[in-house]
Amino acid sequence: MKISRQNAEHYIWGEHCDGWHLVKNKDLSIIHERMPPNTAEVKHYHEKSRQFFFVLSGTITIEVNGNIMNIDKHEGIEVPPLVPHQVFNQSKDDAEFLVISQPASKGDRILLDFHDEKENG
């Protein structure tokens, strides 16, 4: 079956951010995420999950183990397990990106900055 934002399981996280589960199983997770301008996720790390962030549109700012960088359209970055990271959208436009996690990150996230956020990955 074809999968897209239109038919994928959707959830809302953080400050009006969206996620669509394109692949959702214990061994692999692929989520299409949308972050409006001036939003951020909570700083965290994963004990087992390795993640790859790939920008589809816009620009995200990501802090990985204390290093801050911008990731533009059609660029990506890998984040190994146990490495603290946090994604921001500091631009004036929506950012859309894929978050690919292996194994799935659900239940594997250790928060380092405590905000009222639903855990999704």
Side-chain angles (χ1 to χ4, degrees):
M1 178 174 104
K2 285 189 353 180
I3 190 82
S4 70
R5 281 183 18 170
Q6 286 68 41
N7 65 349
E9 177 186 338
H10 174 257
Y11 63 95
I12 296 174
W13 62 272
E15 304 166 35
H16 312 292
C17 299
D18 293 290
W20 294 269
H21 289 283
L22 303 178
V23 174
K24 184 180 180 183
N25 64 55
K26 65 181 177 126
D27 299 319
L28 177 67
S29 169
I30 302 175
I31 300 172
H32 181 159
E33 294 196 359
R34 184 192 65 84
M35 292 181 77
N38 302 310
T39 56
E41 70 171 338
V42 174
K43 184 184 262 187
H44 65 280
Y45 67 90
H46 299 278
E47 292 186 306
K48 297 176 185 167
S49 183
R50 174 175 302 277
Q51 294 189 308
F52 184 74
F53 295 80
F54 186 80
V55 177
L56 301 171
S57 65
T59 299
I60 61 172
T61 301
I62 187 166
E63 179 181 349
V64 179
N65 208 19
N67 298 313
I68 298 173
M69 64 197 83
N70 289 329
I71 309 296
D72 296 316
K73 180 179 177 179
H74 297 157
E75 295 180 333
I77 187 167
E78 181 179 0
V79 180
L82 303 175
V83 174
H85 58 282
Q86 183 174 15
V87 175
F88 307 86
N89 181 356
Q90 297 177 326
S91 76
K92 61 179 177 49
D93 300 311
D94 282 0
E96 294 196 25
F97 53 97
L98 297 177
V99 181
I100 302 162
S101 304
Q102 192 278 321
S105 60
K106 182 77 172 167
D108 182 44
R109 188 164 82 160
I110 307 299
L111 298 180
L112 297 173
D113 190 11
F114 298 97
H115 292 284
D116 187 20
E117 181 183 308
K118 178 180 174 183
E119 179 179 320
N120 281 303

